[in-house]
Amino acid sequence: MTAQLQDVSSGLDARELRNTFGNFATGVTVVTYEHEGQVLGATVNSFTSVSMEPALVLVSLMRSSKAGQLLDGRPFAINILNDAQHATALQFAGKPQDGHAIEWNLDGEAPRLADSLAWFTCRPWRQYDGGDHVLVVGEVAGFGHRPDAEPLVFYRGGWRAVS
């Protein structure tokens, strides 16, 4: 099958655009934070490092999501999931997993998942308009990783493990 150029001058095919975006394999993260005494989170695959000095990271959240509405001005953690955390990814993507227990680590700026591949705790830095998304930049306050695990990956609409 040959690739075809999509001309957006006559209208955008949102499904084809999403399919094309899906060709970029991404890691899977859960952004976690506290709101009114409750620990909350959202599965996010739009995450990137921004700067080393100061240490900044960015996540992109749907404006209509709970996290997109509540994260402004709050400390948060970005938890990079390992290949054994598929159920956790689903749990925080709004698909509750019966009997799946989440273990928390509450020792930093923000609550974080106890068994992540890697993590960053962040202080709020800036938020930017990203159309139907909010671009949230955080200043890294703490970080860590596990060298004994492999990442969970999202590619073409499915969960993958690095082989």
Side-chain angles (χ1 to χ4, degrees):
M1 181 175 192
T2 59
Q4 293 182 354
L5 173 66
Q6 296 291 319
D7 181 3
V8 297
S9 64
S10 60
L12 182 84
D13 182 337
R15 182 73 254 166
E16 270 310 299
L17 180 60
R18 182 178 286 277
N19 290 343
T20 303
F21 283 147
N23 283 280
F24 183 65
T26 65
V28 181
T29 70
V30 172
V31 175
T32 52
Y33 58 100
E34 183 272 328
H35 174 72
E36 296 180 353
Q38 186 177 13
V39 177
L40 302 170
T43 300
V44 175
N45 69 345
S46 296
F47 157 73
T48 190
S49 61
V50 174
S51 170
M52 291 294 287
E53 186 57 44
L56 301 175
V57 293
L58 177 145
V59 292
S60 177
L61 304 167
M62 284 184 58
R63 187 175 300 284
S64 61
S65 71
K66 187 181 286 189
Q69 296 172 19
L70 296 178
L71 201 59
D72 190 17
R74 295 183 192 291
F76 60 95
I78 300 168
N79 304 270
I80 300 173
L81 301 190
N82 69 61
D83 61 0
Q85 291 181 293
H86 180 246
T88 300
L90 290 171
Q91 183 83 19
F92 288 103
K95 299 174 183 159
Q97 303 297 293
D98 289 338
H100 182 62
I102 302 294
E103 289 186 47
W104 294 101
N105 187 313
L106 305 173
D107 66 354
E109 293 276 326
R112 61 183 175 85
L113 301 172
D115 56 350
S116 298
L117 172 67
W119 54 270
F120 303 89
T121 54
C122 302
R123 295 180 195 104
W125 178 265
R126 303 277 190 284
Q127 282 197 4
Y128 299 97
D129 179 12
D132 61 0
H133 280 62
V134 177
L135 307 178
V136 179
V137 178
E139 181 179 19
V140 175
F143 61 93
H145 67 96
R146 291 178 39 203
D148 62 339
E150 295 294 326
L152 181 62
V153 178
F154 196 73
Y155 174 69
R156 290 189 174 174
W159 310 95
R160 313 269 197 234
V162 175
S163 59

